Amino acid sequence: MDLYTEGDPIADTKAPDGPIETRWERRRFDAKLVNPANRRKMTVIVVGTGLAGGSAAATLAEQGYQVKSYCYQDSPRRAHSIAAQGGINAAKNYRNDGDSVHRLFYDTVKGGDFRSRESNVHRLAEVSVNIIDQCVAQGVPFAREYGGLLDTRSFGGAQVQRTFYARGQTGQQLLLGAYQALERQIGLGNVEMNSRHEMLELIVVDGKARGIVVRDLVTGEITTEFADAVVLASGGYGNVFYLSTNAKGCNVTATWRAHRKGAYFANPCYTQIHPTCIPVSGDHQSKLTLMSESLRNDGRVWVPKAKGDTRGPKDIPEDERDYYLERIYPSFGNLVPRDIASRAAKNVCDEGRGVGPTGLGVYLDFADAIQRLGRKAIEAKYGNLFEMYERITGEDPYEVPMRIYPAVHYTMGGLWVDYDLQSTIPGLFVIGEANFSDHGANRLGASALMQGLADGYFVLPNTIANYLAAGPFEKVDGSHPAAVEARRDVEDRIQRLLAVNGDRTVDSFHRELGQIMWEHCGMERSEAGLRKAIHEIRALREQFWQRVRVLGDGDGLNQSLEKAGRVADFFELAELMCIDALHREESCGGHFRAEHQTPDGEAQRDDERFAYVAAWEFTATGEPSVLHKEDLKFEYVHPTQRSYK
Amino acid sequence: MVVTRTRSPIRSNVGLKAVMAVTGIILVLFLILHMLGNLKVFTGETSFDHYAHWLRDIGKPLLPGVWFLWIQRGALTIAVVAHIAAATMLARRSRAARPVRYAHRPKVQGSYAARTMRWGGVIILLFVIYHLLDLTTGHLNPVGDPSKPYANVVADFAPERWYVTLFYTLAIVALGFHLRHGAFSAFRSLGQQTPKGERRARTAALVFAVALCAGFLVVPFAVLTGLVS
Amino acid sequence: MNLTLRIWRQSGPEDKGRMVTYQVDDVSPDMSFLEMLDVLNERLILAGEEPVAFDHDCREGICGMCGLMINGNAHGPQRGTTACQLHMRQFSDGDTIDIEPWRARAFPVIKDLVVNRGAFDKIIAAGGYITAPTGSAPEAHSVPVAKANADAAFESAACIGCGACVAACPNGSGMLFTAAKVTQLSLLPQGQPERYTRVIGMVDAHDEAGFGGCTNAGECTVVCPKGIPLNTIGRLNRDYLKATAKRGDTPGS
Ligand SMILES: Cc1cc2nc3c(=O)[nH]c(=O)nc-3n(C[C@H](O)[C@H](O)[C@H](O)COP(=O)(O)OP(=O)(O)OC[C@H]3O[C@@H](n4cnc5c(N)ncnc54)[C@H](O)[C@@H]3O)c2cc1C
Ligand code: HEM
Ligand code: HEM
Ligand code: SF4
Ligand code: F3S
Ligand code: FES
């Protein structure tokens, strides 16, 4: 059987053409508006309260729509965006170092290895400026200079200092800003907040997304909820790898369920592996911890020159160390983009030069910086990160170099959306990490926060109006056949999971799935490996449905049941990721195919054959998916071999 | 959003603390004067008795007789009642706020003085009642003549009545603890808000509590050791 | 190492609950505390017993979702550390460890070690924000903020809303949490217009939720994983008293 079939290409992305600088403005002008009196009569469901969902819900409520908001955590403030450390990009050019909207646009398209849509990226760069203004007005305590103005720093993949930050807690501060705006609307009665609720199904009525099925995680009650439009802001799916820097609860369920109902899933194989994470310490490991990329501003990455060198780092003399990033990429040095830094680390470890007990690690050394700037200065800049490292590893990074290794961090793929952020199901909008839109095959540091807030504060509230202008739509309720069926599907699945009562835990399956994915669909992929992975995933999935053990019932808080549902969806996604990776016979960004590299080991793109977005359509369980291609046109940034040398 | 008060500010947890702080400070002021007055014991019997009588006569001729004394007593009573009322409300709320206790009781992480405010307060209250019956009304005093405070005091702390001295000492130490945290706490309740100020307030509260304790304690010990007789 | 755990088990809000003893062997000192509980749970599942429910998400000490009373200490024995960042090397072989949920009327137990902290959200909804509708913001550099104020605001803004302060407070008071937000916003020029209505709204919501009153016991700041300083409470008190004094001339109060 074929792994997939090919369908019609995607003809229209709704992006206006003409000069790129005015596309967003023209789109906004052409979009229909909803009159304020009508907004009251319309409801929008927003799944997710991260930067994307939180900012969107707050803004839509301010505009006068009724909003119903959902998250699986106990409070909207805990969405995974809270964990972002490093910063947020914006083309403010406060440093007068040559930054501009155009440069941010250029860097992002190039950073994404020419696999993103120019119109979207340009809009993102334009809006970035407003985000900073908005956040400052909300009281986000960004780092400031002595003059009272905002401070910025540099991040991987850029040669200007355009990253705004709040110590190592930028995501937290931005999210709290959005959360507070959201809470204000909740207090005013414009948003109905449903924490500890998980979306388990999408309800599509007459071709339009009209509602969702949710489970109240506390009481176990399953309800159908309806609205005039549904917005998914449910984050990324890095946890398909089991070990990642994502929060334990991050999942693909919301988007995967929508995919099964007709929304295309784009570029699922594009995953970002972050170069600076704390290495795995044992089998018990439940997640990996990121050490902010900002550390690469002052830390130097190295491994011993000799293979199998087991001396302690301090006993290895300078001339026997290989500062390989500085050696291979003299112009960006330790600040090369993430995909490049990660693969370089993997290569040196594969050569047998890795450090630490497992040999899967490289040093990130601050000795020079401490000598140059003094311990105090390093403490002020990175104190909290150093403490976190010490808490986790029991080693003092002021004394011995940190050990780091790449880990799964971000997923560029996601539900396919047009320029309006609408999926292939009318009325279903997808924002933030859950969509595929802006980062191509690799995301630059500090750009996800920018995208989440751009989508939620500025883009979606404009584009969704164009859709809602045709509303309010005919009322639907739980008795509609589509709702009844969706609800029954959810109940059946829960019953099935509870009924297996096998002999293995959900975690054991998840861990095994993660190993397969990391091995074959991780930093380096090959045809043979991917085929093997697809085979193994299918076998394991079958095992899962026969041997998983979920205790308890569905009538109350049951954390194993929640996990089981998520892992079941990861199994299906994992297969599609491998198929996507297999069909893309080129290397680009985070997708590195062993068969496609330049003589010196860099990613070899194939713009002739693969300059497109792969949007996958679900057909039926066990049936091959259909591939739809959206061709990418580059009118402003011309694809070149990406070089950071 | 229009914020409407849902409760009266004085009954809010912050308001009650302000009441405690203000009344506490009134009581502290009284205690400072009282302690200084007590030290007059060292100037001799006549001087001390004269001083005690003078206390009753302040305000003359503007106010007739012992009016001033009664005004002062009234103010003190109101302060004590308000202080205790607020303390009781807070204590009840705090009990209600944790209906199920911990099986493994948390050990004291803050200061000991802070943890014992309520029991300390009760001890002080019991002491004051005893003290009034002893030295103000004279019922429990061997001399018991309100017009002869010096004699009352001397009789009180005579060596054979060592248990009275012990009781006074314990009560005053309890007061010291109460004030060590109380004085700092009053500053905080009234809005002390910088880390530097916090260090100062803690030091000041400690010094003040020790000084006040010492000031009170010298009197009974002076009698006990025969320095005053 | 081998450990004895005594864990609070409570099947639901109606159940009375009890401490139950479990033995966990072969614990690695490199495990985090929650990973140790994961191990216990996997063993329980295989033995056919319901796993222990506990809240967690980021496991990086930032989301504020985890929260356990470990031997009577909120978030365990290590200062400035959330339960998820606590590692087993802080314990020794043969230890007995008591694990209980946060205890407060405002945080009712849902199951085992999971409590409902929705009261914190209500406090924020009652004023813990700056009203700045999207799109209405002036250029970010139009209002400079003195670095000292920005830094102090950040220090308070670091609160993760975990509730350890409430769990440790002898009065079950949520004042440190409330004060952290009041302080952050009142230190910034953007926060001034709503400064006094904010503090009244938030304190009222705090009291209404059933938290106790703060008596400056100071235990909260000791367990706070983000080291929110105690003097934030003084700042809240001052703003509250000022707001009360201004009552007459503050429209809307
Ligand atoms: C450790 C770490 C550090 C990072 N640092 C940076 C950085 O410095 N700069 C940067 O730009 N980016 C960074 N990123 C990436 C960035 O944080 C994320 O991409 C971004 O925050 C995603 O935001 P979001 O709103 O799309 O989703 P999230 O914040 O993940 O929110 C998802 C929301 O969806 C809800 N949800 C999910 N599934 C369901 C369901 N089935 N039902 C109901 N609700 C559901 C969740 O409850 C949650 O509220 C970092 C990421 C990580 C993991
Ligand atoms: C008569 C019986 C008394 C009782 C029952 C009592 C009780 C209390 C209680 C319960 C508190 C609050 C505890 C806390 O904040 O943790 C308190 C605070 C205080 N008390 Fe007393 N007290 C008494 C007498 C006194 C006296 C005589 C004084 C003064 C000399 C005093 C001065 C203070 C002060 C200054 C505070 C601090 C107020 C604050 O925290 O803002 N108290 N008292
Ligand atoms: C050892 C120390 C003390 C001595 C020797 C002492 C002595 C006295 C004397 C002689 C009087 C009677 C004065 C008069 O009637 O003219 C008195 C009254 C009083 N004392 Fe003390 N006292 C001591 C400690 C305290 C303490 C610690 C408190 C409070 C906590 C206190 C509270 C009072 C009060 C409230 C009165 C009544 C005042 C009045 O009648 O208006 N005393 N004390
Ligand atoms: S103040 Fe500290 S302890 Fe309290 S909720 Fe915030 S972070 Fe947690
Ligand atoms: S411990 Fe409680 S009493 Fe106040 S100072 Fe902290 S809230
Ligand atoms: S799990 Fe997020 S803070 Fe502990």
Side-chain angles (χ1 to χ4, degrees):
Chain A
M1 188 177 80
D2 277 343
L3 289 171
Y4 68 95
T5 60
E6 198 169 327
D8 299 336
I10 293 174
D12 185 12
T13 64
K14 296 232 186 81
D17 37 27
I20 198 158
E21 300 80 20
T22 59
R23 284 182 194 171
W24 175 226
E25 201 181 312
R26 280 180 289 130
R27 177 72 193 127
R28 266 190 300 172
F29 182 75
D30 292 342
K32 294 187 211 92
L33 299 177
V34 182
N35 102 36
N38 266 350
R39 294 183 201 160
R40 282 258 139 253
K41 297 181 203 147
M42 282 190 266
T43 308
V44 180
I45 284 175
V46 181
V47 179
T49 58
L51 285 181
S55 58
T59 304
L60 291 171
E62 261 163 36
Q63 294 184 343
Y65 300 102
Q66 300 292 318
V67 176
K68 292 189 194 176
S69 175
Y70 300 84
C71 70
Y72 68 76
Q73 292 92 346
D74 72 330
S75 162
R77 68 181 288 149
R78 307 202 202 282
H80 184 52
S81 298
I82 199 99
Q85 301 173 348
I88 177 166
N89 289 329
K92 281 282 198 187
N93 194 27
Y94 283 159
R95 297 251 166 199
N96 195 23
D97 58 359
D99 200 9
S100 62
V101 167
H102 194 80
R103 186 178 295 279
L104 175 53
F105 160 67
Y106 174 90
D107 285 351
T108 309
V109 173
K110 176 184 169 202
D113 218 357
F114 308 95
R115 289 293 172 266
S116 48
R117 203 187 277 153
E118 277 190 338
S119 328
N120 284 55
V121 178
H122 200 279
R123 174 175 66 189
L124 178 64
E126 286 170 50
V127 168
S128 70
V129 187
N130 306 346
I131 295 175
I132 301 301
D133 297 342
Q134 179 64 30
C135 296
V136 166
Q138 287 172 342
V140 170
F142 282 120
R144 290 186 182 257
E145 312 249 26
Y146 282 97
L149 301 179
L150 298 166
D151 193 13
T152 51
R153 60 185 173 196
S154 42
F155 242 62
Q159 286 169 313
V160 293
Q161 291 193 28
R162 63 159 80 95
T163 306
F164 293 79
Y165 66 101
R167 286 199 209 160
Q169 283 130 279
T170 317
Q172 180 196 25
Q173 294 311 317
L174 295 173
L175 181 64
L176 292 182
Y179 157 75
Q180 285 160 206
L182 176 63
E183 283 297 333
R184 175 167 170 263
Q185 295 300 326
I186 295 170
L188 291 170
N190 300 333
V191 176
E192 173 196 304
M193 183 67 228
N194 301 280
S195 308
R196 290 201 201 263
H197 278 68
E198 187 167 27
M199 163 182 168
L200 294 174
E201 200 52 85
L202 181 75
I203 300 174
V204 181
V205 174
D206 301 332
K208 290 196 185 87
R210 291 303 305 278
I212 57 176
V213 182
V214 292
R215 179 166 179 268
D216 179 335
L217 299 180
V218 174
T219 63
E221 194 187 358
I222 293 165
T223 52
T224 43
E225 307 287 337
F226 302 94
D228 295 281
V230 176
V231 179
L232 296 187
S234 52
Y237 51 83
N239 274 350
V240 65
F241 290 87
Y242 186 68
L243 288 181
S244 82
T245 62
N246 289 7
K248 290 295 285 175
C250 289
N251 67 87
V252 76
T253 294
T255 46
W256 190 256
R257 294 282 124 196
H259 172 57
R260 291 180 58 110
K261 281 276 159 70
Y264 294 179
F265 210 111
N267 301 332
C269 80
Y270 289 168
T271 25
Q272 176 164 82
I273 316 275
H274 198 294
T276 50
C277 301
I278 300 179
V280 175
S281 73
D283 298 337
H284 52 78
Q285 193 99 21
S286 63
K287 78 153 282 164
L288 295 170
T289 305
L290 176 75
M291 288 280 104
S292 168
E293 177 158 313
S294 61
L295 290 170
R296 287 199 274 146
N297 271 311
D298 287 303
R300 298 179 68 196
V301 177
W302 64 275
V303 289
K305 280 188 177 155
K307 283 181 194 175
D309 190 336
T310 51
R311 286 174 292 176
K314 294 208 147 158
D315 302 330
I316 301 178
E318 242 352 87
D319 60 347
E320 292 178 39
R321 300 176 176 190
D322 179 11
Y323 294 90
Y324 58 90
L325 288 178
E326 295 166 30
R327 173 171 59 81
I328 311 176
Y329 306 100
S331 79
F332 279 69
N334 291 300
L335 281 176
V336 290
R338 293 173 176 176
D339 52 339
I340 303 216
S342 292
R343 211 161 42 247
K346 177 176 168 18
N347 290 341
V348 295
C349 292
D350 287 353
E351 286 165 20
R353 298 195 285 143
V355 299
T358 55
L360 293 177
V362 300
Y363 290 124
L364 179 61
D365 198 337
F366 290 85
D368 284 0
I370 293 175
Q371 205 160 46
R372 185 162 36 92
L373 307 167
R375 185 180 159 131
K376 273 243 149 60
I378 296 297
E379 246 173 46
K381 262 176 147 166
Y382 308 116
N384 57 339
L385 294 170
F386 277 45
E387 277 167 32
M388 176 149 92
Y389 182 85
E390 186 172 357
R391 266 200 293 273
I392 294 175
T393 61
E395 288 175 3
D396 176 5
Y398 293 102
E399 292 301 321
V400 283
M402 285 184 180
R403 278 178 298 113
I404 53 166
Y405 196 67
V408 174
H409 177 59
Y410 182 88
T411 49
M412 281 75 70
L415 290 185
W416 185 89
V417 289
D418 61 18
Y419 188 69
D420 284 353
L421 303 181
Q422 184 165 217
S423 72
T424 46
I425 302 176
L428 180 70
F429 293 78
V430 190
I431 58 178
E433 193 174 339
N435 74 21
F436 87 106
S437 70
D438 296 351
H439 307 293
N442 173 54
R443 173 178 70 82
L444 288 183
S447 285
L449 301 184
M450 170 170 74
Q451 183 221 338
L453 290 179
D455 287 359
Y457 281 135
F458 298 107
V459 181
L460 176 87
N462 282 294
T463 58
I464 202 172
N466 186 58
Y467 175 79
L468 290 172
F473 302 108
E474 202 181 314
K475 282 259 166 292
V476 246
D477 62 23
S479 62
H480 191 284
V484 172
E485 190 193 317
R487 190 194 159 109
R488 204 186 43 232
D489 285 351
V490 168
E491 285 165 350
D492 287 353
R493 243 161 76 87
I494 290 178
Q495 285 319 317
R496 260 181 80 199
L497 286 168
L498 289 168
V500 182
N501 198 18
D503 59 356
R504 282 187 64 177
T505 62
V506 178
D507 279 340
S508 77
F509 280 106
H510 195 178
R511 228 176 272 130
E512 198 174 331
L513 174 66
Q515 269 155 8
I516 298 172
M517 292 299 284
W518 179 245
E519 185 74 12
H520 302 299
C521 200
M523 269 190 282
E524 187 174 301
R525 296 131 184 217
S526 69
E527 177 172 350
L530 289 164
R531 289 196 185 278
K532 184 159 176 252
I534 293 170
H535 182 74
E536 287 177 2
I537 292 166
R538 288 179 177 169
L540 190 63
R541 184 170 61 211
E542 209 145 294
Q543 290 280 305
F544 175 82
W545 284 104
Q546 284 163 14
R547 291 181 55 190
V548 75
R549 168 176 277 192
V550 182
L551 298 173
D553 54 33
D555 308 333
L557 184 66
N558 187 340
Q559 293 173 325
S560 317
L561 179 63
E562 291 164 29
K563 263 194 254 180
R566 293 171 191 161
V567 172
D569 288 332
F570 278 140
F571 272 116
E572 298 182 15
L573 166 77
E575 187 178 330
L576 186 66
M577 285 172 74
C578 292
I579 292 171
D580 186 41
L582 186 62
H583 108 282
R584 189 169 283 278
E585 298 234 20
E586 63 160 353
S587 295
C588 58
H591 170 64
F592 190 83
R593 281 287 298 267
E595 301 92 335
H596 303 279
Q597 41 184 313
T598 60
D600 49 359
E602 301 293 335
Q604 178 81 63
R605 280 200 328 270
D606 184 346
D607 292 333
E608 283 292 300
R609 293 164 60 214
F610 290 101
Y612 63 76
V613 173
W616 298 91
E617 180 187 359
F618 179 83
T619 48
T621 313
E623 293 294 311
S625 297
V626 182
L627 169 66
H628 300 271
K629 296 177 181 170
E630 176 201 332
D631 281 323
L632 294 169
K633 290 188 287 292
F634 293 92
E635 299 166 75
Y636 292 85
V637 188
H638 292 290
T640 51
Q641 169 70 40
R642 213 160 50 119
S643 168
Y644 293 91
K645 295 195 163 156
Chain B
M1 178 178 163
V2 177
V3 176
T4 42
R5 277 184 184 277
T6 50
R7 12 173 108 222
S8 105
I10 210 157
R11 283 159 163 266
S12 78
N13 287 327
V14 180
L16 284 174
K17 282 298 289 176
V19 170
M20 301 234 38
V22 170
T23 54
I25 287 171
I26 294 174
L27 298 175
V28 164
L29 291 177
F30 165 77
L31 282 188
I32 293 172
L33 294 178
H34 186 31
M35 179 201 74
L36 293 174
N38 284 353
L39 291 179
K40 274 196 166 281
V41 148
F42 294 103
T43 57
E45 180 161 5
T46 16
S47 160
F48 187 73
D49 284 352
H50 180 79
Y51 158 77
H53 289 127
W54 170 77
L55 276 180
R56 301 173 181 203
D57 295 345
I58 326 181
K60 262 187 187 166
L62 278 178
L63 295 169
V66 291
W67 274 43
F68 174 80
L69 188 67
W70 284 107
I71 291 175
Q72 182 215 343
R73 285 178 175 168
L76 280 184
T77 312
I78 292 172
V80 168
V81 169
H83 191 79
I84 295 177
T88 315
M89 277 167 83
L90 280 171
R92 290 181 53 173
R93 277 185 202 176
S94 117
R95 192 137 306 162
R98 177 158 301 133
V100 184
R101 325 240 115 208
Y102 290 106
H104 189 125
R105 254 175 64 89
K107 63 171 189 283
V108 177
Q109 311 206 5
S111 81
Y112 180 75
R115 273 278 173 130
T116 51
M117 285 304 274
R118 286 177 190 135
W119 281 112
V122 171
I123 293 174
I124 298 168
L125 180 65
L126 294 176
F127 163 77
V128 170
I129 294 170
Y130 173 85
H131 181 56
L132 291 179
L133 294 174
D134 174 8
L135 288 173
T136 305
T137 66
H139 287 83
L140 297 177
N141 193 278
V143 175
D145 179 351
S147 64
K148 290 191 190 142
Y150 188 91
N152 293 344
V153 168
V154 172
D156 232 2
F157 303 122
E160 62 278 14
R161 280 167 54 89
W162 56 271
Y163 47 89
V164 173
T165 313
L166 184 66
F167 177 52
Y168 265 73
T169 309
L170 288 179
I172 287 167
V173 169
L175 178 71
F177 270 101
H178 196 81
L179 291 183
R180 186 203 153 173
H181 178 67
F184 155 74
S185 176
F187 284 121
R188 171 59 42 81
S189 297
L190 294 177
Q192 181 285 314
Q193 59 177 6
T194 60
K196 201 169 168 193
E198 175 172 332
R199 281 194 297 278
R200 285 194 192 142
R202 282 193 197 278
T203 318
L206 182 62
V207 169
F208 167 70
V210 170
L212 198 83
C213 270
F216 272 125
L217 285 179
V218 288
V219 176
F221 281 92
V223 176
L224 194 68
T225 54
L227 224 64
V228 170
S229 58
Chain C
M1 37 192 198
N2 301 333
L3 300 168
T4 307
L5 306 179
R6 297 198 301 157
I7 304 181
W8 182 261
R9 300 303 307 261
Q10 180 175 344
S11 62
E14 307 307 327
D15 185 20
K16 276 194 63 179
R18 69 218 64 88
M19 296 295 272
V20 178
T21 306
Y22 300 97
Q23 201 64 39
V24 192
D25 299 339
D26 304 329
V27 173
S28 148
D30 288 330
M31 284 181 186
S32 72
F33 198 83
L34 301 189
E35 283 166 353
M36 185 273 294
L37 289 179
D38 289 344
V39 168
L40 169 70
N41 275 346
E42 289 217 45
R43 292 181 194 168
L44 286 179
I45 292 171
L46 293 180
E49 283 180 59
E50 269 221 47
V52 180
F54 62 92
D55 262 336
H56 65 100
D57 200 25
C58 72
R59 296 206 175 185
E60 290 192 7
I62 191 74
C63 73
M65 186 105 172
C66 63
L68 302 170
M69 208 65 177
I70 301 171
N71 283 339
N73 292 303
H75 287 307
Q78 197 180 11
R79 293 277 160 97
T81 305
T82 52
C84 60
Q85 288 278 286
L86 179 67
H87 279 68
M88 294 314 291
R89 61 181 79 89
Q90 303 291 328
F91 298 88
S92 333
D93 189 30
D95 278 0
T96 299
I97 307 175
D98 286 352
I99 309 171
E100 294 175 77
W102 288 170
R103 296 261 183 234
R105 177 155 71 111
F107 291 169
V109 174
I110 292 173
K111 182 175 181 178
D112 297 342
L113 304 169
V114 176
V115 301
N116 178 356
R117 284 168 290 199
F120 272 2
D121 295 322
K122 293 214 176 81
I123 294 176
I124 299 295
Y129 48 74
I130 289 172
T131 301
T134 310
S136 63
E139 154 62 37
H141 268 180
S142 58
V143 188
V145 182
K147 185 168 165 53
N149 282 347
D151 287 352
F154 178 87
E155 192 180 32
S156 305
C159 164
I160 58 174
C162 62
C165 44
V166 177
C169 173
N171 299 312
S173 175
M175 216 35 104
L176 193 65
F177 166 83
T178 312
K181 189 50 68 189
V182 167
T183 299
Q184 178 204 343
L185 300 179
S186 75
L187 279 168
L188 296 170
Q190 291 84 359
Q192 297 312 311
E194 291 164 297
R195 180 166 179 178
Y196 296 109
T197 48
R198 170 183 310 122
V199 67
I200 290 176
M202 290 179 76
V203 169
D204 280 357
H206 168 275
D207 291 1
E208 209 146 285
F211 292 106
C214 167
T215 60
N216 305 316
E219 308 215 2
C220 48
T221 190
V222 178
V223 300
C224 173
K226 298 295 147 181
I228 301 296
L230 211 50
N231 55 288
T232 53
I233 295 183
R235 210 170 270 280
L236 176 144
N237 291 337
R238 171 176 296 213
D239 277 8
Y240 185 86
L241 297 176
K242 270 199 198 159
T244 306
K246 276 172 168 262
R247 202 146 48 118
D249 55 43
T250 310
S253 65

